[in-house]
Amino acid sequence: MFFIQLNIVFWFFEKIIKIKYMKKIYAYLHTHWDREWYRDIEDFNLRLLDILDIALDEIEKGNTPFIYLDGQTCMLNDYLKYRQDKKEQITEYIKERKLFIGPYFVSIDSYIPNLYSMLRNLDLGIKISNDFGQRDFIGYMADIFGISKSAFLALKLKNIDKAIIWRGVNPKKTGNVCDFLYENIETTWLAQGYFNDFFHQSTTKENIENIKNYISKIEKYSSNNILLPIGADHLGILKNAKQKIKEINSYLDGYEIILSSPFEYFKNTKFDKKTVEIEFLDNELTYILKGCYSARIPQKIQNFNIQNKLSRIVEPLNFYLKDKFTENLDNVFINLIKNHAHDSICGTSLDSVHNCVENRFLRCNLALDAIEKRITGNFKKGNSEKITNKFGLFNLSTFDNIKTVKINLPYKLKNAQVTGHIEAFEDDLLYDTYKIPVTEDIKKIYEQVVEISNNQRFSYNNVEILEPIKKVRTTSKSIENDYIGLFIKNNKVQIFDKNKKESYEFFLSDIKDMGDSYNIAPIGKYSKYNIKKARIKYDGIIESCLTIDFGTIKLDCILDNHSKFIRFKTYINNRKKNHKIQLN
């Protein structure tokens, strides 16, 4: 009798100790959603319908308390295109905190978009989330290929004080902890990533061991709490999750999995360790698909140019001139941001995906050109006088006193250097409602360079056209002004910065790049291009151009009297496929 009672006491204390020291694992159900990647968006959308149908059904049956929609809203938008009858149900679940969306519109790779695009992405995602009743957010960046400082700054500017990250983290830089403060943003690093489908498999002895091993690796960097995502790329939500977790808990010793949400994890976890890491770029501990090394350079250049034109030219003009094209520009931003979706423009996608990317870029460019012409056209209305010695300049740059500008007009300006011309019609036809914009009214449009009087940054300036004094000096192997020079010596191209007194050398290289197919990386070694010849293309009073001929590539090196930079224009007779040409 005594021994039985003693065993009961031991058993009782054992249970108390186990409960006291048992680590809590906050598990949340999710699916990671790439909008387009190794399938195009139309294919993925069909899978999305199945996945969200299952997710809503599991919530309705009470099988799970919470489902996380990957920190973005686009998947909900794409779903509701085909399931409008589900909108009321979704809104109810979001308000009840059973379904969680936002703050992003699309999950982005943070080294491709600029800060402004990230902010617009968040603006759009937060607005859609608010419309559904979602008010609090976590900066969810679980699968992107490294996290830039700008990504955290964007969260800070939108008053989002929590973040979840995975790739790019070296634990040595965080003090070997997964919970830390990054500039006062509570940040959790998913030490083993977001990808976890163990729970979707049958509860065999081998699978239980896999789960224990997985948890122990996370525990290495965790406090008394562990954050555990349950889900993976385009994977259906775990069915009967409550029952499955209960079953798995019966096999675990020292852990208790609680089916919960990241918000509960943040509420019950201390973030007192500050990191000095500026950007998270170390993927030594992370598997990276080889296809990420595929260049897709032309698309990245298009993205850069469109971002600049949108945020630095057309939007400021729309604001300053109080025009009413804000909704049009918002629509351009939506198309641009769709191209920032993780695994899309980054380069790991199929050709069909990048064809969609190209199409959206084309729509952005066409819209921006049309809006810019309409804004400037509205500004010029009523002033058809052809003045040849001065004009109005919007200086939207960060530089005071721009010296040289290039302008296209159907007539020549005084003291201008004409660098080319095209046969086209005047833009005035586009914005004059009482003229038919027919293309038969063709005129010669002159591309011309002029030097101008003083002007100020971020302002509208009435400038006079000045009489230029030639300062660019050229030979068949060099072009220079008082600030910078380019010289060809011994089959090498050297640039000399005269202010810094520093010299740079560059060359062109060619390397195989089989990036037009999913997940194939560049192979082989690069070879250098040799210079065939060089010549002066034109030598003007304001601007001059030296052409370097590499055979299949011609490089125009353009310099004006006052520039501290050399501008390059490239012509490629592209007879090769799957090659990457690079300036080193």
Side-chain angles (χ1 to χ4, degrees), residues 367-382:
L368 287 176
D369 286 346
I371 295 167
E372 183 186 16
K373 287 174 181 177
R374 183 55 61 92
I375 291 172
T376 53
N378 289 348
F379 182 67
K380 290 191 295 181
K381 271 180 181 175

Side-chain angles (χ1 to χ4, degrees), residues 91 138 151 157 175 214 216 233 251 270 296 321 386 397 403 412 474 501 534 577:
T91 305
I138 295 169
L157 290 170
Y214 191 86
S216 69
D233 292 358
Y251 292 97
K270 287 184 178 180
R296 302 283 183 181
L321 300 181
K386 294 181 179 179
S397 76
K403 304 278 190 185
K412 295 178 183 179
T474 62
K501 293 184 170 43
K577 288 186 176 181

Side-chain angles (χ1 to χ4, degrees), residues 73-127:
T73 57
C74 70
M75 58 193 299
L76 193 58
N77 273 18
D78 292 337
Y79 177 76
L80 288 173
K81 285 179 192 174
Y82 308 99
R83 296 281 195 271
Q84 265 297 318
D85 57 309
K86 298 284 188 179
K87 187 171 183 179
E88 190 176 330
Q89 182 186 14
I90 287 169
T91 305
E92 180 185 337
Y93 288 160
I94 289 172
K95 286 179 179 176
E96 292 174 354
R97 297 180 68 81
K98 294 177 180 178
L99 190 67
F100 193 86
I101 59 173
Y104 297 100
F105 177 63
V106 295
S107 181
I108 52 170
D109 281 310
S110 71
Y111 286 94
I112 293 171
N114 61 18
L115 173 62
Y116 190 53
S117 292
M118 291 185 206
L119 291 171
R120 291 301 297 261
N121 189 351
L122 284 165
D123 284 339
L124 185 58
I126 290 169
K127 182 186 181 303

Side-chain angles (χ1 to χ4, degrees), residues 21 28 34 50 80 149 255 268 276 320 324 353 365-366 534:
Y21 292 104
Y28 64 96
D34 300 287
D50 292 336
L80 288 173
K149 190 173 185 179
Y255 305 109
N268 292 286
V276 295
Y320 289 145
K324 299 176 181 177
V353 168
N365 271 319
L366 293 174

Side-chain angles (χ1 to χ4, degrees), residues 35-201:
R35 206 163 177 264
E36 45 192 5
W37 178 22
Y38 55 86
R39 294 285 184 274
D40 58 66
I41 187 170
E42 298 303 330
D43 198 324
F44 271 151
N45 271 348
L46 296 177
R47 187 176 178 91
L48 178 66
L49 298 179
D50 292 336
I51 283 173
L52 288 193
D53 283 347
I54 293 167
L56 296 177
D57 190 49
E58 287 300 294
I59 294 173
E60 187 177 7
K61 289 176 179 175
N63 289 337
T64 179
F66 181 97
I67 291 175
Y68 199 77
L69 289 191
D70 204 36
Q72 51 184 318
T73 57
C74 70
M75 58 193 299
L76 193 58
N77 273 18
D78 292 337
Y79 177 76
L80 288 173
K81 285 179 192 174
Y82 308 99
R83 296 281 195 271
Q84 265 297 318
D85 57 309
K86 298 284 188 179
K87 187 171 183 179
E88 190 176 330
Q89 182 186 14
I90 287 169
T91 305
E92 180 185 337
Y93 288 160
I94 289 172
K95 286 179 179 176
E96 292 174 354
R97 297 180 68 81
K98 294 177 180 178
L99 190 67
F100 193 86
I101 59 173
Y104 297 100
F105 177 63
V106 295
S107 181
I108 52 170
D109 281 310
S110 71
Y111 286 94
I112 293 171
N114 61 18
L115 173 62
Y116 190 53
S117 292
M118 291 185 206
L119 291 171
R120 291 301 297 261
N121 189 351
L122 284 165
D123 284 339
L124 185 58
I126 290 169
K127 182 186 181 303
I128 293 169
S129 300
N130 288 344
D131 289 345
F132 280 96
Q134 184 69 54
R135 294 287 181 270
D136 49 351
F137 302 102
I138 295 169
Y140 195 72
M141 301 179 281
D143 192 35
I144 65 178
F145 303 112
I147 295 93
S148 68
K149 190 173 185 179
S150 294
F152 280 99
L153 179 57
L155 295 179
K156 204 169 184 178
L157 290 170
K158 294 301 171 186
N159 299 312
I160 297 171
D161 59 359
K162 300 175 184 66
I164 294 176
I165 63 177
W166 171 32
R167 299 188 195 271
V169 177
N170 184 329
K172 293 175 184 175
K173 299 287 180 69
T174 67
N176 286 310
V177 297
C178 63
D179 303 313
F180 53 86
L181 284 171
Y182 183 100
E183 294 189 353
N184 294 320
I185 294 175
E186 293 181 347
T187 305
T188 286
W189 166 51
L190 298 173
Q192 286 298 299
Y194 71 92
F195 192 102
N196 183 341
D197 63 345
F198 298 126
F199 292 80
H200 292 68
Q201 300 167 22

